[in-house]
Amino acid sequence: MADAQASSAAHEAWELLTEVMMGQRSRMLAIASEFDLAPAQVMALKSIEPGSPKPMSELATLMRCDNSNITGIVDRLEARGLVARRPGDRDRRVKMLEVTPEGEELRRQLHGRLSRPPEPLASLGEEDARALRDILARALGRNDD
Amino acid sequence: MADAQASSAAHEAWELLTEVMMGQRSRMLAIASEFDLAPAQVMALKSIEPGSPKPMSELATLMRCDNSNITGIVDRLEARGLVARRPGDRDRRVKMLEVTPEGEELRRQLHGRLSRPPEPLASLGEEDARALRDILARALGRNDD
DNA sequence: TATTGTTATACTCTATAACTATA
DNA sequence: TATAGTTATAGAGTATAACAATA
């Protein structure tokens, strides 16, 4: 019964969180189209960190989609000069993805736009913002004790 | 400078929140495919509440997409017997969308799967869960004071 | 034999523009 | 003229299956 009580507050929190997320959908879409990128392209670009090339299959895993999709997504990013395919060193079947200088710049701009807290969070008082941060850190297992 | 401090905690909270949301993506996709629905179809079905028919244009607004997309999405839901188009009472140009009994049942099942808090939230202690709920309620303007 | 990435195919989502039937 | 919904079209994402090169 302690369990039922516990899940009630978590349940309500999840419903509110869902609402926050839904509210961000249009913002994300707007930012993506600002940069003339499809949402999947944004996700791919965010996933490839400068300085640490990734096999295509790893990108597929991160994006939870089939390898065959990645071919097209990377084709389009490569056509725009944002990422590049490089042959793998050991296994000649794999192709490593890396961000070009242009890609890095766009990535920076994207991050600048996406990392800004949306209205609901920005409107929180300092005390609430800190408490929220700490609770989320615990939820994600970033224990600071 | 109080502002810079304030946005720092909100900023960190937003980064953590983004992480929570990303973690839910595959869950959402999995649940959608469990019911043989595309993500946009899930969103449409969730948006049409039983007992309160909606014009197609209103669905387009809710889903942040063009009217023309809604035609196809509703076509497929209607072909599966989940929603129905009904002529508008006053303005004969509009078509009202309503959920069929089958649609209501599927909606119920969907909600049952989607409304369950995901791992990070479910793992929170009761005190954190309540605090999280209250902070999110304030963030969304659900003031209880 | 198994795996990485590609290609071919088919379906869904998306926006734009042109169209219809109403208003 | 303007609006609600459709159709036509084109581009992008998605999964499946078949394939080439490599392991």
Side-chain angles (χ1 to χ4, degrees):
Chain A
M1 47 180 109
D3 188 57
Q5 287 268 337
S7 65
S8 163
H11 194 279
E12 288 166 43
W14 176 233
E15 283 193 340
L16 293 164
L17 208 45
T18 300
E19 206 170 319
V20 172
M21 296 188 321
M22 289 303 286
Q24 294 321 302
R25 211 183 93 89
S26 64
R27 185 197 183 215
M28 305 278 196
L29 292 174
I31 292 176
S33 92
E34 225 176 86
F35 292 95
D36 252 301
L37 292 170
Q41 291 170 359
V42 172
M43 201 180 325
L45 207 47
K46 283 204 299 181
S47 303
I48 309 171
E49 281 150 70
S52 71
K54 264 187 192 14
M56 301 191 64
S57 57
E58 194 181 325
L59 185 55
T61 303
L62 282 169
M63 292 181 61
R64 318 276 176 179
C65 71
D66 194 83
N67 276 359
S68 61
N69 301 332
I70 301 299
T71 299
I73 293 169
V74 167
D75 279 352
R76 289 178 275 276
L77 289 176
E78 198 170 30
R80 276 183 59 177
L82 300 173
V83 308
R85 274 179 250 234
R86 210 178 46 178
D89 295 336
R90 321 177 185 186
D91 187 334
R92 284 193 305 183
R93 289 173 303 178
V94 329
K95 294 180 185 167
M96 305 300 281
L97 298 173
E98 55 185 13
V99 191
T100 64
E102 292 85 353
E104 279 194 52
E105 174 56 23
L106 203 158
R107 239 179 79 93
R108 241 190 312 273
Q109 293 177 23
L110 253 180
H111 184 260
R113 302 280 281 108
L114 289 169
S115 68
R116 214 174 305 162
E119 225 311 287
L121 265 67
S123 73
L124 282 176
E126 177 64 9
E127 200 179 337
D128 273 347
R130 287 190 184 149
L132 177 59
R133 175 197 58 193
D134 294 345
I135 292 170
L136 290 173
R138 282 193 287 276
L140 288 166
R142 308 276 197 300
N143 292 317
D144 45 357
D145 47 47
Chain B
M1 47 178 114
D3 188 56
Q5 287 270 337
S7 64
S8 164
H11 193 279
E12 288 167 42
W14 176 234
E15 282 192 340
L16 293 164
L17 208 44
T18 299
E19 206 170 319
V20 173
M21 297 188 321
M22 288 304 286
Q24 294 321 302
R25 211 182 92 90
S26 64
R27 186 196 182 216
M28 305 278 196
L29 292 174
I31 292 177
S33 91
E34 225 177 85
F35 291 95
D36 253 303
L37 292 170
Q41 291 170 356
V42 172
M43 202 179 325
L45 207 47
K46 283 204 301 182
S47 302
I48 309 171
E49 281 149 70
S52 72
K54 263 188 192 16
M56 302 191 62
S57 56
E58 195 181 325
L59 186 54
T61 303
L62 282 169
M63 292 181 62
R64 317 277 174 180
C65 71
D66 193 84
N67 276 359
S68 61
N69 302 331
I70 300 299
T71 299
I73 293 169
V74 168
D75 279 352
R76 290 178 275 275
L77 290 175
E78 198 171 29
R80 276 183 59 176
L82 300 173
V83 309
R85 274 179 250 235
R86 207 176 50 175
D89 295 336
R90 322 179 184 183
D91 188 333
R92 285 192 305 184
R93 288 173 304 179
V94 330
K95 293 180 186 168
M96 306 299 283
L97 298 174
E98 54 185 13
V99 192
T100 64
E102 293 85 354
E104 279 195 51
E105 173 56 23
L106 202 158
R107 239 180 79 94
R108 240 190 313 274
Q109 293 177 24
L110 254 181
H111 184 260
R113 302 279 282 106
L114 290 170
S115 68
R116 215 173 304 162
E119 224 310 288
L121 265 67
S123 73
L124 282 176
E126 177 65 10
E127 198 179 340
D128 272 347
R130 284 189 186 152
L132 177 60
R133 175 197 57 191
D134 294 345
I135 292 170
L136 289 174
R138 281 194 286 276
L140 288 165
R142 309 276 197 298
N143 292 318
D144 45 356
D145 47 45

